[in-house]
Amino acid sequence: LDERFSAGIDVIKRLEDRGYEAYFIGGCVRDLLLNRQVADIDLCSSAKPEEVIRLFSRTIPTGLQHGTVTVLWRRKQIEVTTFRTEQNYANHRHPKEVQFVSTLAEDCKRRDFTINAIAMDKDGRIIDYEHGVADLERKQIKTVGHPEERFQEDALRMLRAIRFSTQLRFSIQSATYEAIKRHKLLLQHIAKERISVEFQKVMQADAVQQGVRLLLDSGIAGDIHPFSGVTSAFQSFSTFDLQELSEKERWVLLLFLVADEEKALHFLKQNMLPKLLSREIRKLTKLCYAYPTYRKATHFSDLMLVQLGQENVFFLLLMNRLVTSPSNDYLFEQKLQHEQEIIRSRIEHLPLQAIEQLAISGEELAKLYMQRKKGQWIQQALERLLLAVVNREVENERDRLIAFMMESEGYE
Ligand code: ATP
Ligand code: MG
């Protein structure tokens, strides 16, 4: 067992010592039974949040209004949520307030899918009121209770069904899937942050292709914001061999397939990705839109190789090849590697590999030409020098570069 389960067992023991019930529940039990890596440890308990806070010396009130307290135990974080039901769903969203209940059975009833409602006690005994284990064996996603009702209560569950189906490579039970098709429009009431969280998980999953197809087939990608703006990109995206691509590459490919840069970047913005990832995707997407036809090594001049750098050039080769190659091109990988090899060798044989390696800097140029105001001309001068060095008109040495500058500007 994972070390975090043993921390969870300690927390359960202490709760039980004080007369409360407590169990492992949800994702950690599901993933343990599936032999998958466990993301985080969640417990449910009859203890109220105040009681959990009182019992443990280090706690974080993570979501008191939902009954959740995070217990810090031997440098591990264990989430403890009080047995509860959800009532008064307003506008098909999860409720702001919840009601505490006294039994595990009632708590399981409010959970989304049977496979997420399996509990386990500290000795590893499974307690399975909603028959989730059978659905794990059948590899299916099925709502706890009536799918119609459950999706009307909280529409996000429809997207979660597709997300879990994608992550686990499970099918969606037919009544559950039919209900998704019928009620998909209710997703319009859900905050875009929550939609984005689920969609990002689809994009990260190995079976991303299955997820995108479900989004299309269910009608969600066609009708629900923000997907509805880029439906045709989704259609063509679903025909690629996406499993081979990294998360970043998948995003850029999808955005490139939108075929309208502004629209694509708008879609990206609406998917609140982590800042760094988002910035990187944005940069690469703009690159693809700037050079949409560069799919062979011969398309790149020496100057471009230095200015873009090997990594960006490889990225352009990959993306432009992907979108222009027939999907059954079994030589794709070899052809790509061949072009990359040419690029690699060309860059290696250039007098320099990046503008930063120029033997003179913008600062120095500014000092040499003190009479001029700083401005665009510095960048332009650097690029002119770079071109000259790449074309072997001048050697990459400080004094020679200065002489070259003076000459070309008419100074003697
Ligand atoms: P992951 O591995 O992605 O964390 P998870 O099953 O732990 O998967 P969470 O979103 O962390 O998913 O939620 C924890 C548990 O809370 C779920 O297993 C499920 O029992 C319950 N749950 C979460 N969201 C909902 C919801 N919208 N409606 C009903 N139950 C939910
Ligand atoms: Mg979780």
Side-chain angles (χ1 to χ4, degrees), residues 26-28 30 39-42 79 163 201:
C28 63
R30 177 198 69 218
D40 36 40
I41 300 287
D42 295 320
E79 283 208 346
R163 186 260 276 195
K201 292 187 176 173

Side-chain angles (χ1 to χ4, degrees), residues 26-27 30 110-112 116 154 157 160 163-164 201:
R30 177 198 69 218
R110 61 99 181 165
R111 294 184 179 268
D112 48 6
N116 287 345
D154 180 357
R157 290 171 187 154
R160 285 174 60 87
R163 186 260 276 195
F164 286 118
K201 292 187 176 173

Side-chain angles (χ1 to χ4, degrees), residues 10-25:
D10 290 345
V11 173
I12 293 178
K13 277 186 181 153
R14 171 163 310 190
L15 285 162
E16 286 183 349
D17 281 349
R18 305 298 160 109
Y20 300 109
E21 283 180 61
Y23 305 91
F24 293 103
I25 188 85

Side-chain angles (χ1 to χ4, degrees), residues 279-290:
R279 219 177 285 160
E280 183 73 1
I281 292 171
R282 191 184 146 82
K283 189 195 89 191
L284 291 168
T285 303
K286 291 180 83 132
L287 187 69
C288 289
Y289 278 101

Side-chain angles (χ1 to χ4, degrees), residues 133-384:
V133 174
D135 286 329
L136 279 185
E137 280 161 7
R138 281 188 208 117
K139 294 180 178 284
Q140 74 171 358
I141 312 290
K142 181 179 160 194
T143 51
V144 171
H146 283 288
E148 309 268 340
E149 283 169 27
R150 303 311 311 282
F151 293 151
Q152 284 182 43
E153 288 170 359
D154 180 357
L156 186 74
R157 290 171 187 154
M158 297 187 274
L159 204 48
R160 285 174 60 87
I162 290 178
R163 186 260 276 195
F164 286 118
S165 158
T166 310
Q167 284 181 322
L168 306 173
R169 293 181 189 272
F170 277 25
S171 61
I172 301 177
Q173 179 238 9
S174 66
T176 299
Y177 193 58
E178 289 309 311
I180 293 177
K181 286 185 175 169
R182 247 193 312 279
H183 294 294
K184 58 174 190 254
L185 290 181
L186 294 179
L187 274 166
Q188 288 168 332
H189 300 281
I190 302 297
K192 65 177 175 193
E193 292 87 343
R194 293 180 79 209
I195 291 194
S196 175
V197 166
E198 300 302 325
F199 180 58
Q200 285 178 48
K201 292 187 176 173
V202 170
M203 287 291 269
Q204 290 163 351
D206 277 350
V208 50
Q209 201 153 358
Q210 173 183 334
V212 174
R213 286 185 180 157
L214 283 171
L215 287 172
L216 284 164
D217 180 76
S218 63
I220 290 175
D223 291 332
I224 299 301
H225 195 73
F227 313 118
S228 50
V230 296
T231 315
S232 59
F234 266 81
Q235 253 141 10
S236 96
F237 187 59
S238 72
T239 65
F240 286 89
D241 190 3
L242 301 172
Q243 193 171 329
E244 302 299 314
L245 302 180
S246 69
E247 182 187 9
K248 188 171 79 181
E249 291 165 346
R250 291 170 186 178
W251 274 99
V252 178
L253 176 61
L254 175 61
L255 293 168
F256 194 24
L257 291 169
V258 172
D260 175 330
E261 183 173 357
E262 202 181 322
K263 226 173 169 186
L265 294 177
H266 181 66
F267 177 70
L268 172 63
K269 214 166 167 186
Q270 293 188 306
N271 280 282
M272 298 134 143
L273 299 177
K275 253 213 185 82
L276 271 180
L277 178 64
S278 177
R279 219 177 285 160
E280 183 73 1
I281 292 171
R282 191 184 146 82
K283 189 195 89 191
L284 291 168
T285 303
K286 291 180 83 132
L287 187 69
C288 289
Y289 278 101
Y291 303 101
T293 58
Y294 291 63
R295 62 190 296 278
K296 284 171 137 298
T298 49
H299 293 155
F300 294 87
S301 70
D302 287 346
L303 183 63
M304 279 187 78
L305 295 186
V306 179
Q307 283 179 323
L308 292 174
Q310 179 169 293
E311 216 175 310
N312 284 329
V313 172
F314 280 14
F315 198 88
L316 277 172
L317 284 176
L318 169 67
M319 285 299 150
N320 286 326
R321 267 187 177 264
L322 270 177
V323 300
T324 53
S325 300
S327 56
N328 57 0
D329 183 358
Y330 68 101
L331 286 177
F332 182 89
E333 212 42 57
Q334 275 120 299
K335 289 180 186 165
L336 179 66
Q337 274 173 19
H338 176 70
E339 299 296 325
Q340 288 180 340
E341 210 33 68
I342 298 173
I343 296 284
R344 211 192 313 272
S345 138
R346 275 178 58 194
I347 290 180
E348 209 180 279
H349 290 96
L350 286 173
L352 82 180
Q353 278 69 41
I355 194 162
E356 295 77 34
Q357 291 169 7
L358 213 53
I360 194 162
S361 69
E363 295 274 296
E364 285 174 283
L365 277 182
K367 267 191 215 140
L368 275 170
Y369 292 88
M370 289 237 282
Q371 75 278 19
R372 294 196 198 169
K373 270 201 239 149
K374 282 193 185 180
Q376 271 249 296
W377 71 268
I378 297 181
Q379 191 55 31
Q380 284 163 0
L382 285 176
E383 280 169 22
R384 197 145 23 90

